[in-house]
């Protein structure tokens, strides 16, 4: 049974691949995009239970993507991923509408745990 659809927007292929490797066996459907622009195009075509966005990407950064997504669907669950874990970034992410944030590098267990928290699913 599918637990939900997740969109991963990250310019690092390794992050996209590791998210898929972790989440697909857990029962999630995962789409991935390598840029904010590509991520927004996918977002406009499909419904997602959760969007995971990297904070630092070339071109359009994660906050800009987050703001765009929230403008289109204010109820959308979004989680920011960042290797730059400063209080400033976290505050900006949450105040822009992110439900949670995830520090990079993260373990598969942490990823699953955070997603279940945001989606209100059993651990």
């Amino acid at each position: 049974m599918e637990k939900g659809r997740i969109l991963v927007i990250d310019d690092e292929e390794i992050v996209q691949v590791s998210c898929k490797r972790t989440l697909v066996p857990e029962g999630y459907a995962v789409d991935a995009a390598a840029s904010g622009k590509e991520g927004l195009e996918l977002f406009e075509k499909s419904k997602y239970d959760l969007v995971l966005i990297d904070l630092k990407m070339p071109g359009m950064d994660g906050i800009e993507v987050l703001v765009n997504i929230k403008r289109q669907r204010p109820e959308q669950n979004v989680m920011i991923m960042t290797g730059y874990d400063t209080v400033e970034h976290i505050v900006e992410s949450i105040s822009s509408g992110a439900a949670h944030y995830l520090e990079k590098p993260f373990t598969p267990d942490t990823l699953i745990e955070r997603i279940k928290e945001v989606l209100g699913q059993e651990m």
Side-chain angles (χ1 to χ4, degrees), residues 1 6 8 18 28 31 41-42 45-46 50 60 62 66 79 82 84 95-96 103 111 115:
M1 189 183 102
I6 297 174
V8 177
S18 64
Y28 296 96
D31 289 338
E41 285 168 8
L42 283 172
K45 291 180 193 151
S46 294
L50 177 65
M60 189 184 296
L66 169 63
M79 190 159 47
T82 179
Y84 307 87
S95 65
S96 297
E103 290 172 57
L111 177 63
I115 287 172

Side-chain angles (χ1 to χ4, degrees), residues 11-29:
D11 58 314
E12 293 177 70
E13 191 179 354
I14 186 75
V15 176
Q16 295 174 33
V17 170
S18 64
C19 285
K20 281 185 177 179
R21 278 196 190 133
T22 300
L23 298 171
V24 171
E26 287 289 318
Y28 296 96

